[in-house]
Amino acid sequence: MILGEFGISLSIILIGIGIYGLLNSRNIIRILLSSEIILNSAILFVFSLSDLLGLVYQPVIFSIFAIGMALIEVVVAFASIILYYRNNGSLEVK
């Protein structure tokens, strides 16, 4: 039970850090990292909540799906970053 409560509080803190990074960053790579922090903290929240509720298989299926979506997100984001850098010459958001 302590692990579930700690995981929920840690995921809430990480979501706050990710939102702060999204709102205050002008660099595309920092924005991408902030969105990844938010996605990973959501996965941590689901695992911690399932630990508190005693669920076994549902969070595993969700996390496999979420990790696959994160992989697709990273590939598309890096391709977009490379294209943005080629067009503008810098990674600063205007």
Side-chain angles (χ1 to χ4, degrees), residues 28 75-89 91:
I28 293 178
V75 169
V76 170
F78 279 132
S80 301
I81 288 171
I82 291 171
L83 186 64
Y84 186 83
Y85 182 75
R86 284 184 183 172
N87 289 336
N88 294 333
L91 294 178

Side-chain angles (χ1 to χ4, degrees), residues 29-42:
I29 294 176
R30 287 185 184 167
I31 293 172
L32 175 66
L33 289 175
S34 298
S35 67
E36 288 296 320
I37 288 173
I38 292 172
L39 179 68
N40 288 327
S41 64

